Amino acid sequence: MTSPAFLGALCLALSCLGGAHGFWRSDDLEWSKLIMVHHWPATVCQEVARHCKDPPNYWTIHGLWPDKSEACNRSWPFNPHEIKDLLPDMKMYWPDLLHPSNSSLQFWSHEWKKHGTCAAQLDALNSQRKYFGKSLDLYKALALTSMLQKLGIEPSTDHYYQVSDIRDALVTVYKVVPKVQCFLLEKGQEVQLLGQVELCFSKDLQLQNCSHAAEPAARRQEAWPNLGLHVCNDGPVLYPPLNETKL
C-alpha cells in the first residue's frame, strides 16, 4: 500500500516540475511570435535626458519579447552567474540606458522575469544562458545599425525621412515588415522622433512580419513608464544623431 508520505513527496515533485517546465501550458500564457526590440539611444536619452550617461552611438537591444505573455514563472529568478560569459556583449549591446549606475543587472533581471520565462517554452531559449545568448545572436545577425547605414539611412539634424521609406527599406533587406516606433510629439517639437524598431520571429526563429496593430501602452513602455512610444504616424520623422542630442 502506498504511504501518505510517498504520495505527498510525489505530489510535491510533480508540483515542482510543473513550476519549472510546465508554466507555459496555460492558455493565458500562450504566444505566437518573438519580437526583437531595438531602440535608438539618442532618441531615448533625449526623452529622459537626466538619466542617460555616455549612451552608445548604435542601436541597442531593448528586449526579446513573446508577443502575448508576460511573467510566466515568478519562481524562476534571474541569476547573473548563468550569463557570466556573455557579460561583455551584454554590457555593449544590451545596456540599461536609463540606469547606467546599476551595471544593467536590474534591467536584465526585469527582461528575464517578464519575457525570458515565457520565451523559455522553446528548447532554444529554455535557460537564461540560452535566452540571452540567442538574443545577442539574433541582434548581431540582424545588424540593424549597419543595415540602415548601407541603405543610406543615417542620423541627421537637417534631414527628415518618411516613415514609409524607412519601413520599405527595411523590408528590402529583411524581406518582412517591421514595426517602426516613434516618440509622441510634444509642444515645441516639429516632427516625431525615431525611437524603436521591432523585427519579429516565428517560434522556429525565422523572420516573419510584425503586426501593426496597437498593443496596450503598458507593454510598449515596459520598465520605463515615462516613454511615449507608439507606432510611427505616416509622414516625416527625425532620426537624431547622438552628438546633437541634449543630454
Side-chain angles (χ1 to χ4, degrees):
M1 182 175 179
T2 305
S3 71
F6 174 79
L7 289 174
L10 178 62
C11 180
L12 179 61
L14 291 174
S15 296
C16 290
L17 276 174
H21 300 289
F23 52 87
W24 51 78
R25 293 176 183 172
S26 167
D27 291 339
D28 293 338
L29 302 179
E30 285 294 330
W31 54 270
S32 60
K33 66 174 179 285
L34 288 164
I35 308 169
M36 171 55 74
V37 187
H38 306 73
H39 51 199
W40 179 237
T43 299
V44 172
C45 291
Q46 183 166 325
E47 292 299 304
V48 287
R50 291 173 293 178
H51 295 273
C52 287
K53 180 180 179 182
D54 301 323
N57 195 24
Y58 48 83
W59 288 82
T60 59
I61 302 172
H62 191 167
L64 182 66
W65 305 343
D67 62 332
K68 295 179 182 177
S69 58
E70 298 177 352
C72 294
N73 187 354
R74 298 181 187 278
S75 65
W76 196 350
F78 174 67
N79 182 357
H81 294 292
E82 294 189 25
I83 60 169
K84 187 174 181 180
D85 63 312
L86 299 177
L87 289 180
D89 278 356
M90 292 286 291
K91 291 175 182 177
M92 179 172 290
Y93 302 122
W94 203 331
D96 185 347
L97 297 175
L98 304 191
H99 310 96
S101 61
N102 67 10
S103 303
S104 299
L105 290 178
Q106 184 177 346
F107 180 38
W108 301 334
S109 176
H110 168 83
E111 292 299 308
W112 167 252
K113 292 175 183 177
K114 189 170 185 179
H115 305 294
T117 56
C118 298
Q121 70 170 265
L122 300 185
D123 288 343
L125 303 173
N126 67 1
S127 70
Q128 292 176 49
R129 176 61 178 74
K130 288 182 180 180
Y131 172 72
F132 288 106
K134 180 56 70 174
S135 296
L136 288 167
D137 290 344
L138 294 174
Y139 167 83
K140 292 176 182 178
L142 291 169
L144 180 61
T145 303
S146 61
M147 288 300 180
L148 287 170
Q149 290 173 344
K150 291 176 181 177
L151 292 166
I153 300 172
E154 299 192 60
S156 174
T157 57
D158 54 11
H159 176 73
Y160 293 163
Y161 294 94
Q162 293 295 315
V163 171
S164 58
D165 290 341
I166 294 176
R167 185 171 56 245
D168 292 347
L170 292 175
V171 170
T172 65
V173 172
Y174 299 115
K175 311 304 180 186
V176 294
V177 179
K179 184 180 289 185
V180 183
Q181 295 181 315
C182 294
F183 283 90
L184 291 168
L185 288 174
E186 297 180 358
K187 187 176 181 179
Q189 289 181 319
E190 296 179 357
V191 67
Q192 58 194 338
L193 300 178
L194 180 63
Q196 198 156 268
V197 171
E198 297 183 356
L199 287 154
C200 297
F201 289 85
S202 62
K203 285 189 172 183
D204 58 358
L205 300 181
Q206 300 299 309
L207 280 166
Q208 69 171 61
N209 291 338
C210 289
S211 169
H212 286 275
E215 294 185 43
R219 185 159 180 78
R220 286 292 121 242
Q221 294 171 0
E222 278 294 281
W224 301 344
N226 295 324
L227 300 187
L229 281 166
H230 68 117
V231 175
C232 298
N233 297 320
D234 287 337
V237 61
L238 180 64
Y239 181 12
L242 184 64
N243 59 1
E244 295 293 335
T245 303
K246 295 180 181 180
L247 302 179

